[in-house]
Amino acid sequence: MSPRSKNSPAAAKRKRRAPERGGRRPKKQTCEFCDRTKGHVDYKDVASLRKFMSDRAKIRSSRVTGNCPRCQRKVARAIKNAREMALLPYLGR
Amino acid sequence: MRTYELMTIFRPEMAETDVRTEVDRVAGALTERGAEITKNDFWGKRRFAYEINHLTEGYYSVLEFQSEPAAIVDIDRALSLSDQVVRHKFIRPD
């Protein structure tokens, strides 16, 4: 199958995007939790939750992380639960 | 029946064997109230991300179980009153 064929995933993605008029090219949005864990976010998994926090321990917005709204809520909830159990800090630095 | 997860932090100055018996006591109290323990995960000593009551570490334990919502009410109270428990939390995983 050629990479330019009509039903390749790359072709579908290009088609969906609005024509660009210069300016900033939007970053590809991928929700990590959606595809990796099928929507389940564990508050005990500190290492992967840290990726959704700034280095001052603030929760990163979905605009930054590219999370879908559903996963963003779950990630935020999980971080807050982990904070209550002192697995993650309320404030860093 | 609902799935619950109970995370408990015990005081660091306790002996590990005492903590384990304490965890078993909690698990026993749960089964007594009709809960079914599915996982008993003991993490051991772990540093806190921030200071709690002038403590910097504690023993973590995670119990996973199925039970009716009513069963956890007493346990929740007992854990809040216990001197050996720094913190505890019931979580309903989705």
Side-chain angles (χ1 to χ4, degrees):
Chain A
M1 196 168 81
S2 95
R4 289 288 142 102
S5 81
K6 207 133 194 203
N7 50 2
S8 83
K13 216 160 264 172
R14 257 199 311 283
K15 210 167 182 189
R16 218 185 300 130
R17 199 178 281 159
E20 267 146 348
R21 292 174 280 256
R24 253 171 65 87
R25 175 177 263 255
K27 222 169 128 192
K28 202 181 90 192
Q29 298 283 295
T30 49
C31 178
E32 199 188 314
F33 272 109
C34 268
D35 20 280
R36 204 186 59 198
T37 56
K38 297 184 180 61
H40 179 74
V41 185
D42 191 358
Y43 72 102
K44 300 190 293 302
D45 187 0
V46 177
S48 55
L49 287 179
R50 270 200 195 269
K51 283 191 272 178
F52 297 97
M53 300 172 86
S54 72
D55 49 6
R56 306 200 64 148
K58 298 209 257 179
I59 300 173
R60 285 226 163 94
S61 72
S62 55
R63 201 199 307 222
V64 177
T65 59
N67 279 350
C68 66
R70 199 165 142 201
C71 286
Q72 179 67 13
R73 285 196 299 272
K74 288 182 181 177
V75 167
R77 186 74 266 162
I79 290 177
K80 286 166 188 174
N81 279 336
R83 277 178 180 166
E84 273 195 57
M85 297 315 285
L87 301 173
L88 287 174
Y90 281 99
L91 42 121
R93 282 289 144 80
Chain B
M1 291 288 252
R2 286 179 177 170
T3 308
Y4 290 100
E5 220 176 88
L6 167 64
M7 185 183 267
T8 321
I9 306 177
F10 291 92
R11 292 190 70 89
E13 60 267 18
M14 293 167 73
E16 191 172 320
T17 46
D18 291 348
V19 180
R20 282 179 189 273
T21 49
E22 204 56 39
V23 172
D24 291 338
R25 269 248 300 277
V26 175
L30 280 166
T31 41
E32 219 171 80
R33 287 165 178 78
E36 197 184 312
I37 311 276
T38 48
K39 205 168 124 196
N40 185 346
D41 194 3
F42 188 75
W43 289 11
K45 234 180 216 179
R46 197 192 141 97
R47 283 193 86 74
F48 298 150
Y50 52 87
E51 201 172 274
I52 303 175
N53 304 337
H54 306 292
L55 300 172
T56 54
E57 54 181 13
Y59 291 99
Y60 280 74
S61 96
V62 181
L63 284 175
E64 249 172 56
F65 58 95
Q66 308 259 333
S67 91
E68 297 298 338
I72 65 172
V73 178
D74 305 349
I75 315 262
D76 189 24
R77 189 174 150 73
L79 289 173
S80 315
L81 294 174
S82 168
D83 292 331
Q84 294 159 319
V85 176
V86 180
R87 223 164 249 202
H88 75 280
K89 194 172 172 65
F90 288 96
I91 280 166
R92 222 136 81 65
D94 40 26

